[in-house]
Amino acid sequence: MEKPIILIAPEEVEKPSSSAFPFSWQITNEAYINGIVRAGGDPLMILPGADIKRMISLADGILLQGGADVDPECYGEERNTLCGKTNKREDNFHIALIREAITQKKPIFGICRGIQIINTALGGTLYQDESLSGTALEHKRLDSPLEAVHKISIEKDSFLSEIFKTDSISVNSLHHQMIKSTGEGVIVAARAEDGNIEAIEKGNIIAVQWHPEAMLMKEDLMLPLFKYFIKQCKKEKNI
Ligand code: MN
């Protein structure tokens, strides 16, 4: 059976020290690729400069992965000193991808920065740092990238309750920004113990604040989440 093509929106990073060329790189990592492949999709990276309309029309779904902070200008706020490094050109590229995928009704899956840029593209706002949300919970746990570090409560009738058939699971957490106000038509699908938003959905858009692809490198608990996304992509493709 033909596999759905999943476009991965890359992250722009500075040149690695091993390279003599003074050029940035466009990257993804093996965990995102593994998640798509294991769930039955064909991963393909879309690069800046590509004809977005044409590339989205060739694809069956799009993955927005983790990465840099979103420029506060994108959601109409002044930069706080706690905001990290941003890349407006990358933000504009990702927002254009999201808008075109929505126009062409292609399923979208957002992870970490992905949930933030999707919410921004839909008119929502972000906390520029977890401390500004007033949380007592530590969400930036870089010490254990593959481990569940906090619980989330899953909303009834959400895509997550359909996938996991429970009202609570534990997830990893490597973010310092999070959703403040939701974008137009965005439904909250899960919240952390501190009330912060950990998952959203809108039509065939799904997004999570944690890193299921990283957890999947250790155990299969998150595989059904990737399978759900690929199933949506197949539905859209009628295969
Ligand atoms: Mn978290």
Side-chain angles (χ1 to χ4, degrees):
M1 194 164 66
E2 204 182 337
K3 291 179 185 175
I5 296 171
I6 308 303
L7 289 188
I8 300 178
E11 179 186 6
E12 184 175 309
V13 294
E14 284 174 18
K15 76 171 193 78
S17 56
S18 59
S19 172
F21 299 106
F23 310 135
S24 66
W25 288 38
Q26 298 287 335
I27 63 157
T28 185
N29 75 42
E30 63 175 319
Y32 295 108
I33 300 166
N34 172 69
I36 292 170
V37 170
R38 281 203 62 197
D42 261 342
L44 183 68
M45 198 188 279
I46 179 167
L47 297 168
D51 180 337
I52 290 176
K53 199 170 174 181
R54 174 167 169 266
M55 293 297 282
I56 297 277
S57 76
L58 294 173
D60 306 300
I62 177 164
L63 173 74
L64 281 301
Q65 60 179 355
D69 287 354
V70 176
D71 193 312
E73 250 186 46
C74 295
Y75 47 89
E77 289 199 3
E78 295 282 317
R79 175 180 294 268
N80 186 287
T81 51
L82 296 171
C83 185
K85 209 173 159 195
T86 58
N87 179 340
K88 192 78 186 291
R89 190 169 45 140
E90 179 171 82
D91 294 338
N92 290 339
F93 173 46
H94 288 174
I95 288 170
L97 285 173
I98 292 161
R99 296 215 167 120
E100 185 58 30
I102 290 170
T103 300
Q104 296 193 28
K105 299 187 172 57
K106 301 288 168 89
I108 303 174
F109 184 17
I111 292 176
C112 199
R113 167 189 158 85
I115 192 174
Q116 297 166 5
I117 194 78
I118 288 168
N119 188 58
T120 300
L122 294 169
T125 63
L126 306 176
Y127 288 115
Q128 293 182 41
D129 185 74
E130 59 183 328
S131 59
L132 302 169
S133 79
T135 183
L137 194 66
E138 207 185 330
H139 284 274
K140 194 176 180 182
R141 292 289 304 275
L142 305 181
D143 56 312
S144 55
L146 312 190
E147 320 291 334
V149 294
H150 70 66
K151 282 186 183 165
I152 58 165
S153 60
I154 294 172
E155 300 292 328
K156 252 173 79 180
D157 302 324
S158 65
F159 74 100
L160 290 173
S161 79
E162 190 182 329
I163 293 167
F164 294 110
K165 302 192 169 37
T166 177
D167 58 5
S168 173
I169 57 169
S170 293
V171 299
N172 58 356
S173 192
L174 293 100
H175 57 110
H176 87 109
Q177 297 202 327
M178 48 196 61
I179 291 175
K180 183 155 78 177
S181 67
T182 50
E184 201 190 323
V186 169
I187 297 163
V188 174
R191 289 180 188 274
E193 295 147 85
D194 59 3
N196 270 310
I197 296 169
E198 288 274 340
I200 57 169
E201 63 186 308
K202 180 184 179 178
N204 58 7
I205 302 171
I206 57 170
V208 300
Q209 185 58 75
W210 69 95
H211 280 272
E213 85 292 352
M215 294 177 78
L216 183 58
M217 294 299 270
K218 199 182 165 211
E219 54 170 10
D220 284 354
L221 177 69
M222 291 296 157
L223 186 56
L225 178 50
F226 279 90
K227 284 193 166 164
Y228 177 90
F229 171 58
I230 297 296
K231 202 170 108 187
Q232 299 304 112
C233 297
K234 282 182 176 170
K235 245 189 232 169
E236 206 53 51
K237 195 181 170 69
N238 287 318
I239 56 174

